[in-house]
């Protein structure tokens, strides 16, 4: 089965979203959409490793950068989780005819969860070091920074906006959205993660409907460095095969 991949994807604000499509086998109709976390982009090494591993197993994937990140258009200081939910909708709207799965890392996992709780087109979810508590994260990481004046982690290229903090606080946590998920859901979290605590995944896993699976990786931090990236990618593929989620 052949699908056309657009030459460009734009969000509701008209901003072009940078993406790369990695083809799988022609007979496979499943497309795994892969998205990054806060201050990152589509080419985080762990996400590239996942795409490559999916392709080796005949599974199509598409990685994209949210607006204001990487090579996507838009201002970084205008991004919020709510805007990123809109970006994800624009990506899926631009790719008709597939069976969609979603893999998100960190805040990107929370964005995918919020989207999937309202849009039935997502047929399975994978959360990599997924964030459950957005307000707590913002307070923990940026509580001493003045929004609109300071930067994230003292990095001037990542200004901390009032819009982001307000949206993270408004969402507070994604547990109510998690209760609405009725599709297979895989959680993978490193036990050495000091950015998003493993407890975030445990709390969402406790709420999630079956079928669900939680994999914790000893010694692995937030960015799934080698060899943990390969272990994570293999775990995702094995789970998809186990539940026959690739068609």
């Amino acid at each position: 089965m052949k699908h056309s991949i657009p030459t460009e994807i734009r969000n509701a604000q008209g901003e072009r979203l940078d993406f790369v499509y990695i083809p799988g086998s022609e007979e496979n109709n499943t497309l795994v959409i892969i998205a990054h976390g806060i201050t990152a982009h589509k080419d985080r090494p762990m996400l590239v490793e996942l795409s490559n591993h999916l392709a080796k197993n005949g599974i199509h994937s598409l990685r994209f950068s949210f607006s204001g990140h990487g090579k996507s258009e838009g201002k970084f200081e205008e991004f919020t989780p709510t805007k990123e939910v809109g970006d994800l909708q624009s990506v899926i709207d631009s790719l008709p005819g597939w069976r969609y799965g979603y893999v998100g890392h960190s805040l990107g996992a929370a964005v995918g969860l919020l989207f999937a709780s309202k849009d039935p087109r997502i047929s399975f979810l994978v959360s990599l070091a997924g964030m459950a508590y957005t307000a707590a994260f913002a307070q923990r990481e940026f509580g001493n920074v003045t929004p609109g004046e300071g930067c994230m982690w003292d990095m001037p290229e990542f200004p901390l906006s009032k819009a982001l903090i307000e949206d993270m606080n408004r969402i507070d946590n994604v547990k109510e959205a998690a209760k609405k998920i009725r599709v297979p859901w895989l959680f993978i979290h490193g036990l050495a993660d000091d950015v998003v605590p493993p407890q975030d995944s445990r709390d969402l896993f406790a709420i999630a409907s079956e079928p669900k699976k939680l994999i914790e990786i000893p010694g692995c931090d937030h960015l799934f460095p080698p060899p943990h990236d390969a272990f994570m990618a293999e775990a995702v593929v094995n789970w998809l095969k186990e539940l026959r989620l690739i068609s």
Side-chain angles (χ1 to χ4, degrees):
M1 182 177 294
K2 290 199 174 184
H3 292 270
S4 60
I5 300 296
T7 54
E8 71 170 27
I9 297 175
R10 292 185 179 272
N11 64 10
Q13 290 76 25
E15 296 157 345
R16 184 186 57 79
L17 302 178
D18 183 39
F19 72 91
V20 60
Y21 163 66
I22 311 295
S25 61
E26 283 191 17
E27 61 271 18
N28 186 357
N29 190 42
T30 299
L31 176 66
V32 179
I33 296 169
I34 302 173
H36 59 82
I38 208 163
T39 73
H41 50 77
K42 68 175 176 53
D43 295 324
R44 267 263 158 95
M46 53 169 285
L47 302 181
V48 175
E49 175 72 19
L50 177 57
S51 266
N52 291 341
H53 202 69
L54 290 168
K56 286 176 191 172
N57 287 272
I59 305 164
H60 306 264
S61 68
L62 183 141
R63 302 192 313 274
F64 77 99
S65 295
F66 289 112
S67 53
H69 291 73
K71 295 179 181 176
S72 288
E73 293 179 354
K75 294 180 179 178
F76 179 82
E77 54 267 36
E78 292 179 357
F79 102 86
T80 65
T82 298
K83 188 184 182 199
E84 292 189 339
V85 170
D87 287 350
L88 176 55
Q89 178 171 339
S90 296
V91 169
I92 291 180
D93 288 347
S94 301
L95 298 159
W98 292 92
R99 182 171 183 260
Y100 311 96
Y102 178 84
V103 179
H105 176 237
S106 192
L107 180 61
V111 168
L113 159 58
L114 290 168
F115 178 80
S117 70
K118 297 178 179 177
D119 194 303
R121 288 178 291 178
I122 298 293
S123 58
F124 58 84
L125 275 177
V126 179
S127 295
L128 305 176
M131 189 184 299
Y133 302 99
T134 55
F137 172 87
Q139 177 61 34
R140 190 170 63 243
E141 299 293 329
F142 312 128
N144 296 325
V145 182
T146 302
E149 296 179 21
C151 301
M152 298 181 182
W153 300 297
D154 297 321
M155 300 169 80
E157 65 269 38
F158 300 125
L160 183 68
S161 71
K162 293 178 181 177
L164 175 66
I165 295 303
E166 287 171 1
D167 201 41
M168 297 282 268
N169 288 336
R170 181 191 62 78
I171 293 168
D172 185 36
N173 67 78
V174 295
K175 292 200 288 188
E176 285 305 310
K179 293 175 184 175
K180 299 175 184 174
I181 300 298
R182 293 291 181 269
V183 298
W185 196 351
L186 173 65
F187 301 82
I188 306 180
H189 216 119
L191 292 178
D193 192 334
D194 62 357
V195 179
V196 175
Q199 194 63 43
D200 280 38
S201 282
R202 293 169 186 156
D203 289 354
L204 293 179
F205 178 75
I207 295 168
S209 300
E210 296 284 357
K212 60 182 177 179
K213 187 171 188 177
L214 171 62
I215 298 173
E216 296 182 335
I217 308 177
C220 175
D221 68 23
H222 191 60
L223 298 182
F224 295 84
H228 304 299
D229 55 349
F231 178 88
M232 172 272 292
E234 182 75 18
V236 171
V237 168
N238 287 344
W239 180 74
L240 292 173
K241 290 179 176 176
E242 188 182 310
L243 293 183
R244 299 181 179 176
L245 294 173
I246 44 179
S247 58

